[in-house]
Amino acid sequence: MMDIENFVIDTLKVSRKWNGFTQQLEDLMQEIDFEYDPELCYSAYIQAFLKLRQINRFNDKVDYEQLTQLEFSKIQYIFTQFKRQNKRENKDFTQSEEKNQEQLTTYLNNLIEHYSKLLFIRVDLAYLKKEHGNVDIRLFRNDVNKLIGYIQDGDTCFQDIEGYAWALEQGEEKGYHCHLLLIYNGSARKKDCYYANQVIERWKEITKDDGYGFNCNTKEHKDQFRQRDKLGIGMIHRDNSCEVRNAINTCSYLVNPEKVDQHLRVKTPRMRTFGTGRYKRNNRRYRG
């Protein structure tokens, strides 16, 4: 998906074919022709490429001879029809992320107000690069759903969790990946690096060792931010305004309106890309 989007963008930027254009076009068309699923929802520039596929299909097969003989200007014209839709998608993404940021900030403030101290853990979960070609959006969605199910059940390393948030993204280097925030009761849990590693191990188990994770709570990683008074993970105390401010700022990275290039290029119908746990004040008692 990333290669196809980049191909469309490159085609719109230049005035004529570049060396290797025809071979790249044919290779990408073979891939999308094999992978295409009409039940999935594709982003604008993926739709542009699918439109090119549709125009060059006869008897349910792509006519590659016709495809490779198409004038470059004709291909550009087809792709140009989707530029406005792409611009609208980017605007919608930015607005959605801004709304999600507000929701996350309110959620975090409610939790921080309720507990005197909370243990903030951040992990990034992805797949080994050699497995990217074997991971489709349905597998990614299902793996994340399993993980969230374990969190909601309070299973093993997820005991004493008081809140959580997650965001799904797609990038050129990481492929499909999930930013995960876990917030533990600070009176019950203290070893943030240990629990972050346990979460990563659970992700590896879910993905049958095709996945890996980055632990943001290692001492080395935290020291980089502590030196600049920007540390917003680990133990956060309600009465320390600097810690609270840093925690809000750090967690806001999960839903950053500026990360337009990280949006999902394909989704299942009604698929969510961000979520938090539920905060129900009436069902809680204040804890020290």
Side-chain angles (χ1 to χ4, degrees), residues 21 26 85 98 132 173 189 210-211 245 261 283:
F21 172 88
E26 188 172 344
Q85 182 179 338
E98 290 173 348
H132 285 185
E173 291 300 319
R189 304 287 176 174
D210 288 340
R245 181 173 62 254
D261 61 332
N283 294 337

Side-chain angles (χ1 to χ4, degrees), residues 235-253:
M235 194 66 74
I236 304 298
H237 298 83
R238 181 176 59 200
D239 58 0
N240 188 317
S241 60
C242 182
E243 289 182 0
V244 170
R245 181 173 62 254
N246 288 342
I248 299 296
N249 291 337
T250 298
C251 297
S252 294
Y253 179 77

Side-chain angles (χ1 to χ4, degrees), residues 1 35 37 39-42 127 132-145 168-170 175-177 263-269 271-273:
M1 295 301 162
E35 296 287 346
D37 185 337
E39 294 183 0
L40 297 178
C41 306
Y42 296 89
Y127 296 89
H132 285 185
N134 298 321
V135 179
D136 62 15
I137 191 64
R138 285 193 174 90
L139 177 62
F140 179 48
R141 177 202 61 187
N142 292 342
D143 286 345
V144 171
N145 285 346
L168 308 184
E169 296 180 350
Q170 182 181 11
Y176 295 120
H177 57 277
H263 73 276
L264 294 180
R265 275 69 177 181
V266 57
K267 301 176 187 176
T268 58
M271 181 176 177
R272 297 174 62 201
T273 60

Side-chain angles (χ1 to χ4, degrees), residues 82-98:
F82 291 84
K83 288 180 69 174
R84 182 177 296 180
Q85 182 179 338
N86 174 258
K87 186 176 181 179
R88 185 168 60 250
E89 281 183 355
N90 291 340
K91 182 179 180 180
D92 290 344
F93 173 85
T94 299
Q95 292 176 342
S96 177
E97 290 293 271
E98 290 173 348

Side-chain angles (χ1 to χ4, degrees), residues 36-283:
Y36 173 65
D37 185 337
E39 294 183 0
L40 297 178
C41 306
Y42 296 89
S43 62
Y45 282 159
I46 307 302
Q47 291 182 42
F49 202 79
L50 288 169
K51 181 68 174 181
L52 183 62
R53 167 184 176 270
Q54 177 188 341
I55 291 173
N56 290 274
R57 276 176 66 86
F58 296 96
N59 297 324
D60 293 328
K61 292 183 180 180
V62 175
D63 186 334
Y64 286 96
E65 182 177 355
Q66 173 179 294
L67 174 68
T68 55
Q69 291 178 357
L70 271 181
E71 291 185 7
F72 185 75
S73 59
K74 173 66 174 178
I75 297 174
Q76 275 190 322
Y77 174 74
I78 294 170
F79 291 170
T80 300
Q81 296 176 48
F82 291 84
K83 288 180 69 174
R84 182 177 296 180
Q85 182 179 338
N86 174 258
K87 186 176 181 179
R88 185 168 60 250
E89 281 183 355
N90 291 340
K91 182 179 180 180
D92 290 344
F93 173 85
T94 299
Q95 292 176 342
S96 177
E97 290 293 271
E98 290 173 348
K99 182 179 178 181
N100 291 339
Q101 257 190 0
E102 292 178 4
Q103 177 186 338
L104 180 59
T105 299
T106 300
Y107 179 67
L108 295 176
N109 280 326
N110 283 334
L111 287 170
I112 291 170
E113 180 183 346
H114 194 77
Y115 295 91
S116 62
K117 57 183 178 179
L118 290 165
L119 191 66
F120 279 62
I121 290 176
R122 276 275 291 106
V123 294
D124 296 331
L125 305 171
Y127 296 89
L128 299 172
K129 196 157 189 175
K130 65 183 181 67
E131 298 297 334
H132 285 185
N134 298 321
V135 179
D136 62 15
I137 191 64
R138 285 193 174 90
L139 177 62
F140 179 48
R141 177 202 61 187
N142 292 342
D143 286 345
V144 171
N145 285 346
K146 287 178 185 177
L147 180 67
I148 294 173
Y150 286 134
I151 295 171
Q152 293 173 339
D153 291 341
D155 179 72
T156 56
C157 61
F158 300 115
Q159 292 179 8
D160 298 308
I161 281 184
E162 302 298 344
Y164 65 92
W166 51 270
L168 308 184
E169 296 180 350
Q170 182 181 11
E172 288 197 52
E173 291 300 319
K174 287 186 179 180
Y176 295 120
H177 57 277
C178 173
H179 295 293
L180 181 65
L181 167 68
L182 299 175
I183 306 171
Y184 289 79
N185 181 351
S187 298
R189 304 287 176 174
K190 293 179 174 60
K191 300 178 180 179
D192 55 326
C193 182
Y194 168 79
Y195 289 112
N197 280 330
Q198 290 296 299
V199 174
I200 291 172
E201 288 303 312
R202 178 52 61 92
W203 176 249
K204 290 180 180 178
E205 177 186 317
I206 290 171
T207 62
K208 298 180 174 61
D209 287 326
D210 288 340
Y212 74 96
F214 178 78
N215 184 344
C216 299
N217 287 73
T218 63
K219 181 180 182 301
E220 295 76 15
H221 190 259
K222 290 193 297 183
D223 282 347
Q224 299 176 35
F225 296 91
R226 185 181 287 112
Q227 292 169 4
R228 306 196 305 269
D229 290 327
K230 298 292 185 180
L231 183 62
I233 54 177
M235 194 66 74
I236 304 298
H237 298 83
R238 181 176 59 200
D239 58 0
N240 188 317
S241 60
C242 182
E243 289 182 0
V244 170
R245 181 173 62 254
N246 288 342
I248 299 296
N249 291 337
T250 298
C251 297
S252 294
Y253 179 77
L254 266 72
V255 279
N256 189 338
E258 297 179 1
K259 295 194 293 181
V260 176
D261 61 332
Q262 297 287 309
H263 73 276
L264 294 180
R265 275 69 177 181
V266 57
K267 301 176 187 176
T268 58
R270 298 177 297 280
M271 181 176 177
R272 297 174 62 201
T273 60
F274 167 76
T276 69
R278 293 184 178 181
Y279 178 80
K280 295 183 178 180
R281 182 167 183 153
N282 292 337
N283 294 337

